[in-house]
Amino acid sequence: MTAKKEVVMGASTENPAEIQDGGAMELVRVPAWEVKYKLDRNPDELAHFVCCRDLDWRRAVCGYEEPEAVILENPTTFCTMCVEVVQAHGGVPGSGRCPFDDQPCPDDETVDRMIDERTSRP
C-alpha cells in the first residue's frame, strides 16, 4: 500500500458480452499510462491509501474518490478510515504486503517509477 490521494477499483470482467460491448470499466476508462497526475507536496494534506495494482489510482480503500488526478508526495497525515479498512483486512499499513490478497507490494523503487511514469509529461 502506498499513500496516494486518489484511485478507482477495477470492474468485473466475468460477463463476456459486457466486455465485447465495451461496457466493462477497464475498457471504457482512460488507460493508466495515459492519465497524468499532478504531484502535491503539501505535507499537511490528508492522504488516502490506494492499491498500487489498481489501474487508475482514483478511489481510496476507504471509498473516497478524489475528482482531481493528484498524487500526494511524502504525506504526514493519513485517512483514519483507510487505515481501519487495511487493518480490518488483516493488513498493516506500510508492511509491504497487500491486505486484500496477501501478495507482496512492489518495492519503493518500483512505486517511485510508477509515479514518475504517471506524472511525466508526454
Side-chain angles (χ1 to χ4, degrees):
M1 299 291 295
T2 304
K4 301 286 181 262
K5 198 167 179 183
E6 44 188 79
V7 84
V8 171
M9 300 299 181
S12 170
T13 57
E14 293 178 14
N15 182 353
E18 182 179 81
I19 294 170
Q20 289 173 349
D21 295 339
M25 287 294 287
E26 267 66 7
L27 299 178
V28 297
R29 292 188 301 196
V30 175
W33 56 88
E34 291 181 15
V35 174
K36 297 302 176 193
Y37 294 83
K38 178 182 129 188
L39 283 177
D40 187 345
R41 292 183 172 92
N42 181 357
D44 297 325
E45 182 76 30
L46 178 66
H48 291 272
F49 289 113
V50 300
C51 181
C52 60
R53 291 183 184 93
D54 185 47
L55 291 179
D56 288 344
W57 292 356
R58 303 288 288 171
R59 182 175 298 153
V61 297
C62 69
Y64 174 75
E65 190 169 341
E66 177 74 36
E68 297 179 32
V70 177
I71 296 174
L72 192 56
E73 221 177 24
N74 301 317
T76 57
T77 307
F78 299 95
C79 170
T80 303
M81 288 187 66
C82 283
V83 173
E84 289 176 0
V85 168
V86 169
Q87 291 174 337
H89 283 88
V92 176
S95 70
R97 302 228 28 112
C98 180
F100 305 108
D101 64 11
D102 199 35
Q103 296 298 311
C105 294
D107 59 25
D108 288 342
E109 182 178 303
T110 303
V111 172
D112 288 342
R113 182 185 47 77
M114 292 167 68
I115 291 170
D116 287 344
E117 289 171 356
R118 293 178 184 207
T119 57
S120 63
R121 299 206 183 268

